[in-house]
Amino acid sequence: MSSKKQFRNEVSHTNHPRAVDDDVVDETPALHPTVELEIQAKVDLNNPDAVGRGLTLAEEERMAAREWEIEQTRDRWDRRQTSSREARTATAVEQQRIEATRAFKKRAGCVNRWADPEEPDPREQLTAEQLGVVNREAGRMQSKLEGWSRSVISRRLAEAVADGQSMMSAVVGVFEEFQQAPGTVIPIAAVSEVSRREVSIEGTITQLWTSSNSAIQQVGLIEDETSRTKFTVWHNSRQPAVREGERVTLRNVAKSWYGGRVSVAVTGWSDVRFPEREAWWAE
């Protein structure tokens, strides 16, 4: 009998695999959804289109609006291969620029009548004799002024004469005006007379010496036919080194005063050129 009872227990155990003895504790943990899963379940239930994207209803609406905006931006009304949309837009922008410039000059004409685009050319208001003198003086000044055309100089001279100045006063005044204009190379003797903070000069390096200041790369004298002045090149300016006896053009160098004497400093905004080197290279 004992064998039959043992067999019945084994069968019962096989038919009920999850049955355990009273002394055995089931340690299988109970699984519960986290707060994040519950929130996401509510999101997916209320917004089925957002399933798998992890978005709330408000976020999904914002994304849909953004996608619509991008699509509308790309969707142009003129889809032809030969569309002239870009050309017409460029033409309209250029026309607006011309009109804005004209309006600005019109307002400037309240202060200077020659700035008004409707004002006739001042050379048309001069006599034939005056115009001949203006053209001759403009040609002479143009040979001494770098970067200015004869046409621009003659017009400025004509404006001064038409305003009532004598020919001599107009020539002197216009020459000084162009000579002291920003970017124009001026004589070294005129450096102290120019009211600008930066000037451009050209001359020969006549002397170099060693500075005790480690921040200074080079210091020396530059000289032209009118005068000479001290120049300083700072290390931080990263400018090329100059040599004694070399002709150099220093553009946009800063003016400074020490002991009643004017000097110039080459900065990072300056431009150092070597006319003789460039002429040799051009050959």
Side-chain angles (χ1 to χ4, degrees), residues 56-67:
T56 63
L57 181 59
E59 292 173 343
E60 183 68 17
E61 291 177 348
R62 284 196 294 270
M63 176 168 288
R66 178 57 179 162
E67 291 175 351

Side-chain angles (χ1 to χ4, degrees), residues 44 47 49 82 86 112 198 223 227 238 248 251 254 263:
D44 295 342
N47 187 23
D49 294 336
T82 58
E86 286 78 8
N112 179 12
E198 295 182 344
E223 181 177 346
S227 183
R238 301 183 181 277
V248 179
R251 292 187 178 274
S263 62

Side-chain angles (χ1 to χ4, degrees), residues 63-174:
M63 176 168 288
R66 178 57 179 162
E67 291 175 351
W68 177 86
E69 182 181 4
I70 294 174
E71 185 65 25
Q72 291 297 314
T73 302
R74 293 176 178 174
D75 187 17
R76 47 184 288 178
W77 65 271
D78 191 353
R79 297 175 179 272
R80 297 174 300 169
Q81 293 294 328
T82 58
S83 172
S84 60
R85 178 184 180 185
E86 286 78 8
R88 288 185 282 107
T89 301
T91 301
V93 171
E94 179 64 18
Q95 185 62 32
Q96 292 176 0
R97 186 190 66 80
I98 294 175
E99 292 176 358
T101 302
R102 187 175 183 84
F104 173 79
K105 290 183 177 180
K106 189 70 176 177
R107 293 193 301 270
C110 299
V111 180
N112 179 12
R113 68 185 180 113
W114 302 114
D116 190 342
E118 298 180 1
E119 185 72 23
D121 192 304
R123 287 166 289 195
E124 298 177 0
Q125 305 180 28
L126 303 181
T127 65
E129 181 179 357
Q130 288 176 323
L131 184 59
V133 176
V134 165
N135 290 333
R136 184 175 65 251
E137 292 296 330
R140 185 176 64 84
M141 292 167 59
Q142 193 266 338
S143 62
K144 298 181 179 180
L145 295 172
E146 180 182 355
W148 298 100
S149 67
R150 181 176 177 178
S151 176
V152 172
I153 297 173
S154 65
R155 179 184 173 90
R156 184 66 189 93
L157 271 176
E159 291 175 359
V161 174
D163 283 339
Q165 296 186 30
S166 66
M167 187 63 66
M168 181 176 295
S169 297
V171 169
V172 173
V174 171

Side-chain angles (χ1 to χ4, degrees), residues 146-148 178-186 196 198-201 249-252:
E146 180 182 355
W148 298 100
F178 281 103
Q179 187 184 51
Q180 298 181 9
T184 303
V185 176
I186 64 174
R196 297 192 314 275
E198 295 182 344
V199 296
S200 300
I201 59 176
T249 302
L250 305 178
R251 292 187 178 274
N252 299 324

